[in-house]
């Protein structure tokens, strides 16, 4: 059984790691982007970002003054058992969020939408968000915290089957131009795209694509993977670079996730992760072991399954 004390201690450390330490995959992607950027101001911004990341890690301070809206993703192996059950788990994550807000510190961004009530700890009605996923087999849980900006960098459009790939390209470019010209996102960023599902599911898919996949990963469908590569190149060809200045470093990577949708539509959402890509992950076992990593490994074959029943692929044994 996984103890609540272990969950809360791990969650508090994850909050610190996400706020301060840049994931290596994103840092490598950013360095590659900086190496080819030739816009003067964009190059200046990229270099300043890289220096800021080093300073944050050395000083153990949050890398950005706007520390975003902390949220949690919890993935559970089918045999996992948690002390006190899911209610106790959620309480532990809320305590960890409140304590980390005070101790790191993080900016307390969460307020009531009407009365502007602020508990000064990023906790309130529906905050922090906690989303769940499950995997066959395994007596572990993965805790994933993401600190994503909560204002802009997101758009949605109802496309139709007749719009096709060209319609996807058009909306993708419309979104990136708006993000850059109006200051609606901090570039460069990982861009997540959700295709299909209902409107709410489409938004979830796009945000997860931005926040829960690493730079360089590709969708398991080779045709979608090719579209990811195409849109990354396209996004960096519009003449905008870091923070909307002239350049060619708008997109560090482009990730697409899909869900089956109504036959008459093709929903699409576009999400820009923060230029810091703040995420941290840990796997917890009942014997007290904790493994920290930066790859959420959320989109497994099981998460993308199309069949009614799940059978383990012949070449995979991890879920057996």
């Amino acid at each position: 059984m996984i103890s609540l004390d272990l969950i809360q201690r791990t969650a508090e450390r994850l909050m610190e790691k996400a706020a301060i330490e840049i994931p290596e995959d994103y840092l490598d992607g950013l360095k590659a982007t900086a190496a080819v950027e030739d816009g003067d101001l964009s190059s200046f911004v990229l270099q300043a970002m890289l220096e800021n990341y080093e300073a944050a890690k050395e000083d153990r301070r949050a890398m950005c003054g706007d520390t975003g809206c902390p949220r949690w993703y919890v993935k559970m192996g089918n045999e996992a058992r948690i002390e006190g059950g899911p209610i106790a788990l959620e309480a532990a994550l809320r305590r960890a969020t409140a304590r980390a807000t005070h101790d790191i510190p993080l900016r307390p961004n969460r307020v009531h939408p009407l009365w502007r009530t602020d508990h000064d700890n990023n906790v309130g009605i529906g905050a922090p968000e906690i989303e769940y996923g499950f995997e066959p087999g395994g007596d572990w849980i993965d805790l994933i915290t993401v600190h994503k900006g909560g204002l802009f960098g997101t758009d949605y459009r109802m496309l139709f089957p007749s719009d096709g790939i060209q319609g996807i390209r058009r909306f993708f470019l419309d979104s990136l131009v708006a993000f850059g010209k109006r200051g609606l996102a901090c570039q460069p960023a990982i861009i997540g795209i959700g295709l299909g599902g209902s409107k709410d599911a489409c938004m979830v898919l796009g945000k997860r694509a931005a926040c829960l996949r690493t730079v360089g990963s590709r969708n398991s469908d080779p045709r979608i993977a090719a579209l990811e590569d195409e849109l990354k190149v396209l996004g960096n060809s519009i003449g905008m670079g870091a923070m909307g200045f002239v350049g060619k470093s708008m997109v560090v990577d482009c990730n697409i996730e899909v869900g089956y949708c109504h036959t008459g539509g093709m929903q699409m959402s576009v999400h820009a992760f923060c230029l810091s890509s703040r995420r941290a992950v840990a796997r917890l076992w009942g014997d007290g072991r904790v493994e920290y990593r930066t790859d959420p490994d959320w989109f497994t074959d099981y998460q993308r399954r199309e069949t009614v029943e799940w059978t383990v692929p012949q070449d995979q044994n991890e879920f057996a």
Side-chain angles (χ1 to χ4, degrees), residues 3 19 52 58 93 168 191 196 277 302 319:
S3 73
N52 181 68
E58 182 177 343
L93 295 181
I168 293 172
I191 304 297
S277 286
Y302 181 73
F319 300 139

Side-chain angles (χ1 to χ4, degrees), residues 191-203:
I191 304 297
I193 295 175
L195 290 175
S198 55
K199 182 176 182 178
D200 58 336
C202 183
M203 295 293 286

